[in-house]
Amino acid sequence: MINFNVAEFSKSTVDLANAPKDNLPEVLLCGRSNVGKSSFINAITNHKSLAHASSKPGHTKLLNYYKIDNRIYFVDAPGYGYASGGVDLDKLFATTMEDYFVNPNLKLVLVLLDSRRELSNEDIELINFVDSKHIPLLFIFTKADKLNQKEKAACIKHIKEVGVGEEYYFTSILTPQSFDKLKSKI
Ligand code: GDP
């Protein structure tokens, strides 16, 4: 089992020609800007600042590779749903991701969803896109500390309505144990 003891930043690239060449299996992390993706990476690897968490949406514009236990890569995809400084990040996301999904090392996609927000059209597009590529996907509801039981049930209902993928996990950076089940799954 991968125990997430060793995690290191490997590289950032927009150019897939520059992706790591060691052919380790890759787990892609996707989600809208501000979903809590950087915080998620830091929490699951038990590092304070492996990924740069920022309250400024849209700051991640590249594919960032993190090597975990020398066994797999976490690949942090650009956050979508935000345009900044004239850069159309959604367009960048779409072109980079079309290329990225051809990559045979890609074994699993984690779709991060903010527990407190409705699914956006972009979330649904992403989910259907991943499904169309026949790559396994898991749903991660972030910021679960902000939810009561009824709100959790609503998240589950919404994801079931999308009709793609079956497994979902609730995580919170305030509760390290909330990552345990997901870690075993990975
Ligand atoms: P990114 O843009 O997806 O990388 O999002 P960040 O990791 O920068 O997080 C966005 C905001 O959500 C920050 O203010 C985080 O502190 C906050 N956040 C992230 N995860 C959690 C969580 O599990 N619980 C709570 N309460 N806040 C969170």
Side-chain angles (χ1 to χ4, degrees):
M1 178 178 147
I2 298 164
N3 55 27
F4 292 81
N5 280 345
V6 187
E8 59 185 11
F9 173 71
S10 291
K11 63 179 355 187
S12 287
T13 179
V14 264
D15 178 359
L16 290 168
N18 285 319
K21 301 275 186 285
D22 42 6
N23 284 327
L24 294 178
E26 296 179 15
V27 177
L28 182 72
L29 286 84
C30 300
R32 65 192 294 167
S33 296
N34 222 33
V35 69
K37 193 143 49 69
S38 309
S39 306
F40 174 91
I41 293 169
N42 291 334
I44 197 168
T45 59
N46 199 22
H47 277 60
K48 278 204 172 61
S49 55
L50 186 65
H52 179 60
S54 152
S55 53
K56 181 172 168 278
H59 69 100
T60 310
K61 298 177 189 172
L62 304 164
L63 290 167
N64 294 308
Y65 289 78
Y66 301 91
K67 200 183 259 190
I68 312 291
D69 285 0
N70 282 314
R71 299 263 308 278
I72 60 168
Y73 282 110
F74 265 7
V75 184
D76 181 5
Y80 50 85
Y82 186 81
S84 162
V87 182
D88 186 343
L89 294 182
D90 291 334
K91 202 165 157 200
L92 178 67
F93 180 82
T95 31
T96 312
M97 289 299 110
E98 270 293 345
D99 291 347
Y100 180 78
F101 271 78
V102 178
N103 165 10
N105 296 323
L106 176 59
K107 303 298 182 200
L108 176 67
V109 178
L110 304 183
V111 176
L112 275 66
L113 301 167
D114 190 325
S115 297
R116 300 161 311 165
R117 302 183 69 156
E118 301 261 316
L119 292 188
S120 68
N121 289 339
E122 288 148 321
D123 291 327
I124 292 169
E125 272 172 32
L126 170 73
I127 293 165
N128 287 327
F129 174 73
V130 176
D131 188 52
S132 74
K133 304 288 177 188
H134 307 292
I135 311 281
L137 75 101
L138 304 175
F139 297 108
I140 316 294
F141 289 105
T142 61
K143 312 184 190 181
D145 52 281
K146 294 179 185 272
L147 296 187
N148 60 32
Q149 286 305 323
K150 203 172 149 201
E151 289 163 329
K152 262 191 182 178
C155 289
I156 295 167
K157 180 168 173 276
H158 289 143
I159 210 66
K160 289 201 166 148
E161 281 165 4
V162 179
V164 167
E166 280 166 13
E167 288 192 48
Y168 49 82
Y169 297 80
F170 286 90
T171 62
S172 163
I173 57 170
L174 305 182
T175 324
Q177 315 84 275
S178 67
F179 293 87
D180 290 350
K181 239 169 59 179
L182 175 63
K183 283 184 186 177
S184 325
K185 176 71 183 179
I186 292 172

